[in-house]
Amino acid sequence: MVSIIGIKGTPPNVLVIDKNLENCSLLIKLLQPIGLKVIETNDGEEGWQKIQMFNPLLVITRHRREKDIYFWRLLGNT
């Protein structure tokens, strides 16, 4: 079993987009202790603005039509 204990170097930005505040809170509690800088919003439009502002490495969002489907997208310079 592998355990993540932290991030070496500059903490990467992670954007969480979800209208459910409990979901956002849970993700923040999981990601911040290992050294990720978590940015949150509950709105896709604001999410797009935060992508442009913070250039997150990872975006986590929930599909609007499905209850429990999450999309994880790694962003990078391609």
Side-chain angles (χ1 to χ4, degrees):
M1 185 164 136
V2 175
S3 296
I4 299 173
I5 58 170
I7 303 294
K8 189 175 184 179
T10 304
N13 293 327
V14 175
L15 175 62
V16 176
I17 307 171
D18 197 327
K19 290 184 180 185
N20 185 321
L21 296 178
E22 290 175 12
N23 292 343
C24 284
S25 178
L26 175 64
L27 287 168
I28 289 168
K29 286 179 184 178
L30 291 171
L31 299 173
Q32 279 183 338
I34 62 171
L36 296 170
K37 182 177 177 191
V38 182
I39 302 151
E40 63 178 307
T41 182
N42 63 2
D43 178 80
E45 181 74 27
E46 185 179 348
W48 179 246
Q49 292 170 359
K50 289 189 176 191
I51 287 172
Q52 294 172 329
M53 288 172 52
F54 296 102
N55 192 26
L57 174 67
L58 177 67
V59 177
I60 303 171
T61 186
R62 195 166 82 166
H63 190 279
R64 70 158 85 151
R65 292 191 184 118
E66 302 294 333
K67 284 202 287 188
D68 298 320
I69 296 178
Y70 280 82
F71 292 96
W72 303 62
R73 169 102 194 243
L74 286 172
L75 303 178
N77 298 332
T78 56

